[in-house]
Amino acid sequence: SIRTTAYRVAGPAVEGPGVIASRRASETSSLWQLRALALARRGRHKEAALAALAFQAGAPEVAETSFVLARVYALCARAVSKETGPGLDADARARYTAQAILAIRSLARKEPSFFLQVFEPDVSALWDHPEMARIVDAARGAMAQKPKNAN
């Protein structure tokens, strides 16, 4: 399967994006997703953000794509907040947070029921963001407006 192949080559894909370019088109989106999340979790936010852009370019416009992007950018923001010293990009955390919030907004539009579930720990840092309450309220309001099944 595509996912099995993606996981087999995921390690090399995380370490070098050239591996992704050598794969079939049907595999690249999963590999960019895995690369972006793995690098973000390792604190390699600049590389993770580039991988997220590549993932977004080849991924379908669905709720899962928005969710992955929110996770990657939230992890990037967390990684930047732990950095100190020379060369620190003071605006990077704000940019990553804004990108994560944008992805969360997109997720709320595409799949408002997501906000009725337990939330992913990768984006836990966003819960304190002032925009999150508005997004969640709007998503829950959209769910309340949907007609219930007649089952």
Side-chain angles (χ1 to χ4, degrees):
S1 83
I2 293 171
R3 287 220 184 253
T4 304
T5 301
Y7 285 111
R8 185 172 37 79
V9 296
V14 168
E15 295 310 318
V19 171
I20 299 172
S22 70
R23 304 305 300 179
R24 291 186 306 238
S26 62
E27 300 170 349
T28 58
S29 182
S30 293
L31 290 170
W32 281 117
Q33 174 185 340
L34 292 169
R35 178 176 167 76
L37 284 166
L39 291 171
R41 286 189 180 121
R42 292 178 182 178
R44 293 165 57 183
H45 60 89
K46 291 176 184 173
E47 293 169 274
L50 290 173
L53 288 173
F55 165 69
Q56 185 176 15
E61 284 286 324
V62 296
E64 182 182 350
T65 299
S66 298
F67 183 50
V68 168
L69 293 171
R71 291 169 63 199
V72 170
Y73 289 123
L75 289 166
C76 286
R78 184 182 310 157
V80 169
S81 68
K82 293 178 181 179
E83 288 183 349
T84 59
L88 178 65
D89 182 352
D91 297 326
R93 183 169 191 236
R95 282 194 313 274
Y96 291 141
T97 299
Q99 288 172 301
I101 292 293
L102 187 66
I104 290 287
R105 273 194 211 116
S106 176
L107 173 60
R109 280 191 308 276
K110 293 171 186 166
E111 190 58 57
S113 65
F114 176 83
F115 294 95
L116 302 176
Q117 304 168 21
V118 175
F119 210 73
E120 169 68 38
D122 286 346
V123 295
S124 62
L126 297 176
W127 278 111
D128 293 334
H129 192 280
E131 186 66 20
M132 282 300 292
R134 289 188 285 275
I135 294 169
V136 171
D137 287 346
R140 289 183 176 159
M143 286 302 300
Q145 300 284 329
K146 282 189 173 184
K148 300 206 186 296
N149 282 344
N151 297 348

